C-alpha cells in the first residue's frame, strides 16, 4: 500500500501523518508513507483543501482530520 499525505507541511498535515502511521501499526498493515508538499502535485490530485490522504493513488480524504475510527475504516477499505 502506498499512502501519501498531501499538504503544505502545516500542523494538521503532521497530525494526519502521525494518526495514519499509528492506525497502520494498529491494523498491522504495511505501507510506504510519504508527505507531498509540492502544490502542483497536490492540485494534480484534484485536492483544493488540505490535509488530504491518498491511498494507492486514490484521494480518500481531503480538508479535515478524520477521527481514529474513520481513519481505520478508510485504511481497511483501501487494503482490500
Amino acid at each position: 500500500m502506498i499512502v501519501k499525505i498531501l499538504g503544505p507541511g502545516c500542523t494538521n498535515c503532521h497530525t494526519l501523518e502521525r494518526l495514519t502511521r499509528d492506525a497502520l501499526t494498529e491494523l498491522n498493515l504495511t505501507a510506504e508513507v510519504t508527505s507531498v508538499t509540492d502544490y502542483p502535485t497536490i492540485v494534480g490530485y484534484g485536492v483544493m483543501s488540505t490535509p488530504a490522504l491518498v491511498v494507492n493513488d486514490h484521494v480518500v480524504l481531503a480538508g479535515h482530520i478524520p477521527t481514529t475510527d474513520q481513519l481505520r475504516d478508510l485504511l481497511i477499505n483501501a487494503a482490500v
Side-chain angles (χ1 to χ4, degrees), residues 3 5 15-24 53 71 75:
V3 176
I5 310 298
T15 300
L16 179 57
E17 181 174 353
R18 179 180 48 79
L19 292 173
T20 300
R21 289 182 185 277
D22 290 348
L24 288 166
L53 181 67
L71 187 54
L75 293 170

Side-chain angles (χ1 to χ4, degrees), residues 30-49:
T30 303
E32 175 186 329
V33 180
T34 59
S35 293
V36 177
T37 58
D38 179 60
Y39 186 71
T41 303
I42 293 169
V43 172
Y45 279 99
V47 170
M48 297 311 235
S49 182

Side-chain angles (χ1 to χ4, degrees), residues 5-77:
I5 310 298
L6 308 183
C10 63
T11 301
N12 285 342
C13 299
H14 292 297
T15 300
L16 179 57
E17 181 174 353
R18 179 180 48 79
L19 292 173
T20 300
R21 289 182 185 277
D22 290 348
L24 288 166
T25 300
E26 290 173 18
L27 295 169
N28 292 318
L29 293 174
T30 303
E32 175 186 329
V33 180
T34 59
S35 293
V36 177
T37 58
D38 179 60
Y39 186 71
T41 303
I42 293 169
V43 172
Y45 279 99
V47 170
M48 297 311 235
S49 182
T50 61
L53 181 67
V54 176
V55 181
N56 296 330
D57 278 332
H58 296 286
V59 178
V60 296
L61 175 87
H64 69 280
I65 297 174
T67 66
T68 303
D69 288 338
Q70 290 171 334
L71 187 54
R72 284 187 195 125
D73 288 344
L74 290 170
L75 293 170
I76 288 169
N77 289 333

